[in-house]
Amino acid sequence: MIDCWLASPFYPQNDNKMESHWFLAKPHDMIMTHFPKNHHDQCLDPPLSAYAFFLLPYIRNPFFWYGMRFLKYHVQLEENEHSVFYVKFKLSQTNISCYAETESDDGTATRGLAQCITDDNDNRICKVKAVLPPHQRTGWLKIYTGPKAVPTPSSGHQQQEVVNKNHYPLALCLRIKTQQPTETSFDFVQLYVDHNEFYIKEPQCYQFYPLQTYHFCIRANRLDYRATHHKLAVKSPSGKLVKLMYYPQEQTYDGTVTVSEAGKWSLICLLHHTGGSYTVASWSCKLKK
């Protein structure tokens, strides 16, 4: 299948470049953007209905560049269902990462949680969780995808950045809907740009509560850890460190921390040779007035 217009450098989204994936495109790729009048022209068995077609995500070129393939997604929440939207997809390259955010119909944006991991079979998997802002029933889940962002040197030191949508181009948008909007805001853990890669299994919330004990479970990327591993610790606002125990067989870090201070709590990676550290992720603890 061929679409010369979408492949043309004159198409507005192509930035004056030819997009070759529209030449001899596979039917399951073409159906993401084209719905033939005659269902036989889909070259799919079974063919897709018009209703199912309009439930598909709106995709842009990075979706094809990085071989994104949906494995699972749940974006239409019924009454009494948990308020978290979930998307899981596969990427064709191991150096690709993602960022996610939701935007409600009134324009309010909320950070999601997008984390990539390489499994035992060297498949690059991305898992996305997202919520709508308070009191909102509908909106869009936007997923940005591109080569993994790395820290940029600044005056001889690594400048720490939080991961945001400016690091990657927009790959797709999914319409999301819930029957039961939330009353309060919810934020996910804040991730930082990092040469290494860690998957935060717990805790994935951003807000900590005083005097509560939290279980930390961090998984290492298997590609990074075939040769070595790093030391991780949880850093309190006053600088106190609680080191996490490393389990080589599972390639995970584990530990518990009781939140005894208000302020910024950080997951840090301790550098072997320099004695320094850098931030992997952060959480916040605020005292209620």
Side-chain angles (χ1 to χ4, degrees), residues 1-39:
M1 295 182 172
I2 297 174
D3 189 320
C4 295
W5 170 234
L6 291 185
S8 168
F10 300 105
Y11 186 69
Q13 293 183 12
N14 291 351
D15 297 326
N16 297 318
K17 295 184 294 184
M18 184 74 72
E19 291 296 340
S20 60
H21 57 262
W22 293 113
F23 292 104
L24 302 180
K26 296 179 180 179
H28 64 260
D29 285 338
M30 192 66 79
I31 197 62
M32 300 296 292
T33 53
H34 299 69
F35 189 75
K37 184 176 181 180
N38 189 327
H39 67 85

Side-chain angles (χ1 to χ4, degrees), residues 77-81 83 85 132-138 177-184:
L77 302 182
E78 302 298 331
E79 193 170 355
N80 298 323
E81 278 193 291
S83 59
F85 302 95
L132 279 168
H135 313 294
Q136 301 296 316
R137 293 181 179 272
T138 57
K177 180 180 180 181
T178 181
Q179 298 292 337
Q180 191 170 339
T182 58
E183 298 296 324
T184 58

